[in-house]
Every structure is written in C-alpha cells, then in structure tokens.
Amino acid sequence: MEKTFYITTPIYYVNDVPHIGHAYTTLACDALARFKRLDGFNVHFLTGTDEHGQKVEKAAADAGISAQDFTDKVSQNFRDLAVAMNFSNDDFIRTTEPRHIVAAQEIWRRLLASGHIYLDKYAGWYSVRDEGFFTESELVDGKAPSGAPVEWVEEASYFFDLSKWQQPLLDFYAAHPDFILPETRRNEVISFVSGGLRDLSVSRTSFNWGIDVPDDADHIMYVWLDALTNYITAAGFPDITSDTYQTRWPADLHMVGKDILRFHAVYWPAFLMAADLPLPKRVFAHGWWTNEGEKISKSLGNVIDPYVLIETYGLDATRYFLLREVPFGNDGDFSSQAMINRINADLANDLGNLAQRVLSFVGKHCGAAVPTPGTLNAADHALLARAESLITRLRYHYDAQAFHRVLEETWEVVGAANRYVDEQAPWSLRKTDPERMATVLYTLMEVLRHLAVVTQPVMPQAMASLLDQLAVPASARTFTDIGAAGALAAGAALPQPVGIFPRYVAA
Ligand code: MSP
C-alpha cells in the first residue's frame, strides 16, 4: 500500500506581516515533509491564510479598502515568504476560497443536523486580537490571558455544545497518548479539559466578514470554526468518497504554536467528533522565540524579519539554526551571537571544512574523479556503518518531531568523520601509500554523500550543491540510495569544488 503523509501548518492571520513565528512553524513542517518525500511517502503539505474575522475586517477598514481587496493583497505576503524560505508546500489554502466556504458550511450543517448547535444569546468578553471568548474569571488585570484587550459583547449567537464533549475528549486523549505532543502540553490540555468545558459561541452578528451561517443570514461563523475546517477542506471535504479525501484524511500532523494548542486539541477534535468525522493523528505544539531575551512584539519593535535573517546569514544557515538551536517544543531565544556561533562552528568548520578539504584534495590529486578504493579496513567500515545507519535514528527523531535531535545525531557523524580524517591523515599518504589514500578519500566521499542525502530536508540548497560536487545524479538522492545501492562510481568525473558554508564575518 502507498505510504501517505498529510501535514499542516496553522493558517496565518493576514493582518500581520510575516515574522519569524510564521517562518518557524512552516519550516518545521517543511523539513518533515521533505524527509517523508525522500522516504517514499506520498506527502501532502498544506499551509495558507486565515482571512476572516473581526481583526481582519478592522485592518481592512484602517487601510481604507474592502476586506476582500485587503486579503487578496496581504495573503500574497505569505506566499512570498514560502518562496523566500524555500518551503515545499503542495497547496496554499485561503479561507475566502469557494472550496473552503463549501466545506465550512457543510461542517456547520452536520453539527446542526446532529443537534450539537443551538441558538441562544452570548454575553461576555471577547478579544479581537485572539479572536477568543473569555469569562470574567479568566481575565487577568482586565485583559485576556495573552494580554490582549477585551470588549464586552452581547448578541444573539449559536452555540456548540462543547460541555458534552469533556468525557469523550478525555477518553480520546487516554486512548491516543501521542495525540498531543510534547507531553507537558498534553498534560496542560488534559487538566484544562478535566476542569470542565463551557458551550462555545460559534456565530457572530455584529460584523460581516466571515462565512455565512447556512440558512440564517444574520449570522456569520465564528472565525475559529471556519479556520480549523481548512484542514479538512484541503483534504477534499465534503467529497468524502473521493480518493483525495480517502488518502488524506485524517491528517497525520497538525503543527501549531503553543498559543493555539487549545483550539486544535480541544475545539477541533470536539467539532470533528460531533460531525462524525475522523480525528487527526497528532497535534504538536512548538514553543516561542524571544529576541535577545525579550518577548517579541510589534510595540517593542523587536520583531524578527525572516527576510533580514536570510539576507544576513543565508537561507540554509537560517533554516539550520532555527531547527538546531532549540529543542523542538521548548521556547528559545534568538541571538545573533548564537546564530554566528552555529554558522561558524557547525556549518563552516565542521561540515563545510570537511567537504572542502576532501573535495579540493581529490580535485587536485586524484584527477578530479572519484578515487578507486582498495580493500576497506575496520576503521573505514566503522565510519561508513555509522553514516549508513544514521537514517534509522533520523526516522525515529523525525517521527517524534525532534528536529534538534536529527541535527545532533547527524553532526555526531560529522564529528566522527573529522576524527577519522585526523587519524587516517590521507594528505600524508599521497607519497607513502596512494592506494590507501584513495580508499580513505573514497570512504570520506561516501560519508559526505550520506550526510548530504539525509540533511537535504533541512538545507535543501546547500546539500544539493554538495551532492552535485560529489557527482551524485539527481535521480539518486533519496533514502533508497543509502548504502551500497547509491554508492559513488569510482572514476566518475567531479566538477570543480566550491565552498558550501562560508564563515560569517561581521561586516
Ligand atoms: N490564524 C490563527 C491560526 C489558525 S489555524 C486553524 C493564528 N494565526 S497567526 O498568524 O497568529 O499564527 C501564528 C503562528 O505563528 C502560530 O503557530 C504561533 O504559535 C506562531 N508564532 C507567533 N509568534 C511566535 C514566536 N515569537 N515564536 C514562535 N512562533 C510564534 O494563530
């Protein structure tokens, strides 16, 4: 049977300019999507924009244009970011698209038909910034827990009977211990749900920018019900007999930031259960970045612009840093010093130098062709075995969304290769034992090939360049080429080597 993998990012609010938070969530998904493709999965990787709601309506009004014109214009910023970051998403969904409106209204009809939605009146606090409802007791110093201002809202509203889903949700979490990760977040969700759930207001009448509630022109759908549905829209819902739906739904992974976990791990599964639809297999909540120790905020003016990072440090170095520096799931701090340290130590020094030294030596002293190895000794076999078996450990870490572990394990092999160079001293074998020199260089090139193949998901461009320099054909760069199957052909001509990771020198 075909192996499939459906992975999603949150859909981003269009009123913001793309910042490191957006880039981070999608980057993690991109690395995983690329890994799964190389591992033979039919991957569907979805990202997109969340375009309805009061916040967007206000932003459009401030800009003096219609909400539709506003979203058409600013959603492009997120497509541009995807190109700039070299994201490999297969689809980009906008919640203003007809396919999504159809799907969201169908979910609504299902919830209504099964008796899980009823009409009443909402009176309570609402935060436009969070697009969330709060009770008096949830407010902190008169604000939402996130610090966002709240306003008093009193209006006719449809409600979803979330209170009835407490036990089914708890049972589901218990039966699926990997549904919410990391575990600390899972525990938080369980304790929140254990504390009891209130029915949820799922429609608004006081503004217009949203999806119409079917058969009630006064109401539009609550933006989170609309937004969460995007994941199943892109799987072909409501056409549930289609191949697309059958192969994609339920999603394998919803990647989200910790701030929006509750919507994904409580509301969304409850909506799906109530609509009698299968639940996604996992929701992973990652942490937040601070900037040089400070919380990132527009008002502090310390928002990290991904374009500036790419421009300053290079795209693949930025991708590497974001996934390597912080254990995925934890909060982390961005600092330019930490970035420079990673670039100069891990990339320029450890991997870049290794590749450069081997390739330029082969270029000069082996006729710019893959050397012909003699018999491999124990040290050669040991190093190659480490490089070849890396994939098994990486599969495990990718499946746990432990991107930092992926890179740590990979760099252990880089370290072993550097020690091997020191021990085998190929440069001094040139005069004394050219055959042994060829064997050592061949072994090193094979190790570089494996490192490049498995690191493509994180640094696609740099690793493509390294594979080009090793004369690995484009058709031999997947995980089926690991080991003997893709071994470098002795005698193959090599191009002129070029450095892949320059040292960062402050301007
Ligand atoms: N529109 C909703 C999601 C709907 S999904 C059905 C939304 N949009 S958002 O534009 O605010 O999303 C932002 C994403 O970026 C979230 O995953 C959030 O956690 C992430 N980040 C925002 N700031 C961040 C940091 N400082 N650090 C890391 N990620 C952060 O929420």
Side-chain angles (χ1 to χ4, degrees):
M1 218 177 76
E2 191 190 34
K3 301 186 286 183
T4 62
F5 191 73
Y6 178 29
I7 179 170
T8 69
T9 75
I11 48 173
Y12 301 109
Y13 287 130
V14 283
N15 54 304
D16 231 350
V17 280
H19 56 65
I20 195 173
H22 309 114
Y24 185 54
T25 314
T26 313
L27 170 62
C29 294
D30 184 59
L32 185 46
R34 287 175 182 274
F35 184 87
K36 290 284 178 186
R37 285 192 201 103
L38 290 169
D39 210 12
F41 285 73
N42 172 3
V43 171
H44 194 68
F45 168 21
L46 176 72
T47 187
T49 41
D50 188 354
E51 305 193 356
H52 291 125
Q54 208 167 344
K55 177 157 61 175
V56 175
E57 192 181 69
K58 277 191 175 158
D62 292 347
I65 52 176
S66 75
Q68 187 63 58
D69 286 349
F70 176 76
T71 55
D72 286 347
K73 184 163 158 272
V74 289
S75 75
Q76 187 59 38
N77 296 339
F78 289 88
R79 285 179 202 260
D80 293 345
L81 177 71
V83 173
M85 291 288 299
N86 197 9
F87 293 150
S88 63
N89 53 295
D90 300 289
D91 192 0
F92 186 101
I93 192 165
R94 299 181 53 191
T95 52
T96 48
E97 287 175 69
R99 61 171 169 162
H100 177 65
I101 294 167
V102 168
Q105 291 183 330
E106 181 57 24
I107 290 271
W108 182 281
R109 285 196 191 90
R110 280 184 172 236
L111 296 176
L112 191 72
S114 54
H116 295 295
I117 280 182
Y118 61 91
L119 187 60
D120 201 344
K121 192 172 159 230
Y122 179 75
W125 297 101
Y126 192 74
S127 152
V128 175
R129 200 164 90 195
D130 298 333
E131 299 283 15
F133 299 95
F134 301 96
T135 57
E136 189 72 41
S137 63
E138 282 173 312
L139 299 187
V140 182
D141 298 334
K143 293 190 168 168
S146 67
V150 289
E151 58 192 46
W152 184 257
V153 171
E154 258 184 66
E155 62 190 58
S157 173
Y158 286 95
F159 281 81
F160 171 71
D161 62 359
L162 186 62
S163 58
K164 298 215 178 85
W165 295 96
Q166 179 185 18
Q167 200 51 50
L169 283 167
L170 291 171
D171 293 345
F172 183 80
Y173 304 147
H176 301 87
D178 290 342
F179 175 63
I180 302 167
L181 287 180
E183 206 183 330
T184 48
R185 300 276 169 225
R186 172 175 192 263
N187 294 337
E188 284 167 19
V189 171
I190 290 176
S191 89
F192 170 74
V193 173
S194 303
L197 297 170
R198 275 173 298 115
D199 287 358
L200 180 70
S201 167
V202 286
S203 76
R204 302 292 308 272
T205 56
S206 52
F207 66 99
N208 295 317
W209 185 237
I211 296 181
D212 291 334
V213 164
D215 308 316
D216 190 340
D218 292 342
H219 292 255
I220 56 166
M221 285 168 60
Y222 172 43
V223 66
W224 272 101
L225 173 54
D226 157 355
L228 288 161
T229 305
N230 91 87
Y231 301 128
I232 199 166
T233 304
F237 185 81
D239 190 359
I240 58 174
T241 56
S242 65
D243 281 353
T244 310
Y245 179 85
Q246 295 287 329
T247 49
R248 284 186 201 155
W249 198 257
D252 292 278
L253 177 63
H254 294 321
M255 182 70 80
V256 301
K258 62 179 184 180
D259 52 318
I260 54 173
L261 178 59
R262 194 177 289 184
F263 296 98
H264 286 81
V266 182
Y267 297 1
W268 180 228
F271 294 151
L272 287 168
M273 285 196 244
D276 197 21
L277 292 164
L279 271 51
K281 293 182 197 145
R282 178 173 299 171
V283 179
F284 190 105
H286 67 66
W288 271 46
W289 286 91
T290 50
N291 186 359
E292 311 273 354
E294 298 249 29
K295 186 175 186 288
I296 296 178
S297 84
K298 264 197 253 180
S299 50
L300 285 176
N302 65 348
V303 172
I304 300 175
D305 177 348
Y307 290 97
V308 172
L309 296 185
I310 298 169
E311 176 68 24
T312 314
Y313 303 107
L315 173 58
D316 278 352
T318 300
R319 290 174 58 111
Y320 175 83
F321 175 82
L322 292 175
L323 293 179
R324 172 64 184 83
E325 185 67 6
V326 175
F328 198 71
N330 293 6
D331 290 337
D333 186 41
F334 180 90
S335 80
S336 35
Q337 196 52 54
M339 178 79 142
I340 293 165
N341 291 348
R342 285 277 168 214
I343 292 178
N344 287 346
D346 301 9
L347 298 183
N349 217 32
D350 295 349
L351 179 56
N353 233 351
L354 174 71
Q356 181 72 11
R357 287 203 294 166
V358 170
L359 290 166
S360 56
F361 192 81
V362 170
K364 278 199 204 105
H365 303 296
C366 305
V370 176
T372 306
T375 310
L376 273 57
N377 72 16
D380 310 334
H381 279 301
L383 182 64
L384 275 178
R386 280 192 76 163
E388 289 176 11
S389 64
L390 189 52
I391 186 65
T392 313
R393 302 190 291 285
L394 300 194
R395 277 197 187 101
Y396 175 82
H397 294 314
Y398 269 106
D399 283 338
Q401 288 75 57
F403 304 102
H404 60 295
R405 292 289 302 130
V406 162
L407 293 168
E408 273 169 18
E409 290 263 13
T410 307
W411 258 254
E412 278 174 27
V413 177
V414 173
N418 277 314
R419 286 192 297 278
Y420 171 90
V421 171
D422 292 344
E423 285 155 17
Q424 304 298 324
W427 337 127
S428 55
L429 290 168
R430 189 157 75 94
K431 298 243 164 64
T432 55
D433 190 348
E435 192 192 326
R436 177 67 198 146
M437 175 194 79
T439 308
V440 170
L441 291 171
Y442 183 85
T443 303
L444 284 165
M445 288 180 70
E446 268 292 280
V447 170
L448 286 170
R449 177 175 74 86
H450 284 89
L451 289 169
V453 165
V454 300
T455 308
Q456 292 176 98
V458 175
M459 297 190 282
Q461 289 175 348
M463 294 305 109
S465 163
L466 183 50
L467 289 162
D468 289 345
Q469 295 183 54
L470 292 163
V472 175
S475 57
R477 298 179 178 187
T478 73
F479 300 156
T480 56
D481 301 297
I482 284 171
L488 294 170
L494 296 168
Q496 178 74 23
V498 285
I500 38 172
F501 296 120
R503 277 188 77 76
Y504 180 86
V505 186

